[in-house]
Amino acid sequence: MSADRRRREPGARVVQLDQRGAAPTASPILEATVLGALIAENGIWPEVSFLTGSDFSEPAHQLIFETCAELLAAGRAATVGILSQRLGADLQAYGGSAFLADLVAYGQTAVPAISEAARQLRAATLWRRLQAIGARLQEDIRQGGDTPEDVASTTIRALEEALLGAQPTARTKREVARAAYEMAIRDEPRAQTGIEGLDLVTQGGLFARRLYAIGAEFGRGKTILLGSISHNLNADEVRHLFISMETPPEDIEIRNIARGIGQNAALLNDP
């Protein structure tokens, strides 16, 4: 087999295992299987769309997957021809359209089991990230430059990034303060409730993604108040969701109708 052929052969590399010999930290064969199946049958995209380019250890695989994702997310096809044209010289470095054809031949039989293959690929990615974190932790312990608390904090954040999709939840006080300041000075749009007094105490209306609690005893008009707010938001074409756990929606709408025609709701309920 020629050197060029080996370079573009999907399964040319041997799958590496960690020291326990159980968890694959890189799987070019599995990557080729998922990619080939996706190119062969674009309809499986919803089953693999949770993957990202970073789930592929091979640069060629990462490039092709990210291009497929861009095309399919835009409602376009990701065929051998389209990918070859889209990637151009970048693909030629890995063997051109012949490399894509090899992927399709390698993965098209895996289409029925693509969900499991994609799940295994994500697991391999997580194992690879954990292995890197473990190596970094051992190096930090060996050097001993930072305090144990600092090393532990750094490791926890790295684990969060690895397992939560690069979405760390631990932040420093400085980071929180900066985010709080930016939120405070941001001119966020607000939806007016249509009730002057309520808009006043809420500083101009309701903000999206904020939680508001209205408390009162039974029968004091909480549902009427919320129904009125919902009715006014509808009039302003503000998208929202109104969930009533007790009062039927028809009763709520009767009150809105009565208000619209300047009558008491009791009049509409009286035969």
Side-chain angles (χ1 to χ4, degrees), residues 173-247:
K173 179 176 175 58
R174 181 181 297 275
E175 291 171 337
V176 175
R178 183 183 296 111
Y181 172 74
E182 292 175 352
M183 182 179 67
I185 66 174
R186 187 183 306 122
D187 185 17
E188 296 185 0
R190 61 204 72 184
Q192 293 186 338
T193 66
I195 302 173
E196 184 176 351
L198 185 57
D199 287 337
L200 178 63
V201 299
T202 57
Q203 299 179 327
L206 304 178
F207 291 85
R209 298 180 301 277
R210 287 193 182 181
L211 180 64
Y212 299 88
I214 300 175
E217 295 181 2
F218 179 79
R220 298 292 179 169
K222 298 186 296 296
T223 302
I224 293 177
L225 174 61
L226 294 175
S228 299
I229 294 174
S230 176
H231 188 71
N232 294 336
L233 292 176
N234 277 330
D236 291 338
E237 298 184 350
V238 177
R239 293 175 61 85
H240 66 284
L241 176 65
F242 180 18
I243 301 176
S244 175
M245 305 298 290
E246 295 178 350
T247 305

Side-chain angles (χ1 to χ4, degrees), residues 72-95:
L72 295 171
R76 300 178 58 187
T79 63
V80 171
I82 292 175
L83 289 170
S84 298
Q85 183 179 11
R86 185 68 173 266
L87 294 173
D90 291 335
L91 182 63
Q92 290 301 322
Y94 298 102

Side-chain angles (χ1 to χ4, degrees), residues 16 43 50 55 70 92 94 103 114 116 124 143 157-159 163 175 194 202 205 211 234 241-243 249 264 269:
Q16 300 173 357
F50 67 91
D55 288 314
E70 180 182 351
Q92 290 301 322
Y94 298 102
L103 289 176
I114 191 60
E116 176 62 18
Q143 293 183 354
R157 295 193 64 183
L159 287 170
L163 299 178
E175 291 171 337
T202 57
L211 180 64
N234 277 330
L241 176 65
F242 180 18
I243 301 176
N264 189 289
N269 283 323

Side-chain angles (χ1 to χ4, degrees), residues 34 38 44-52 65 72 114-115 117-118:
V34 172
L38 181 59
I44 64 174
W45 169 244
E47 300 180 65
V48 301
S49 59
F50 67 91
L51 296 173
T52 66
F65 179 82
L72 295 171
I114 191 60
S115 294

Side-chain angles (χ1 to χ4, degrees), residues 130-172:
L130 290 175
Q131 186 181 58
I133 293 171
R136 177 179 174 181
L137 177 60
Q138 289 182 341
E139 181 63 19
D140 288 341
I141 295 174
R142 186 184 66 81
Q143 293 183 354
D146 296 326
T147 66
E149 291 81 4
D150 288 339
V151 172
S153 177
T154 301
T155 303
I156 290 172
R157 295 193 64 183
L159 287 170
E160 289 178 336
E161 293 177 4
L163 299 178
L164 301 179
Q167 301 280 338
T169 58
R171 293 182 293 170
T172 65

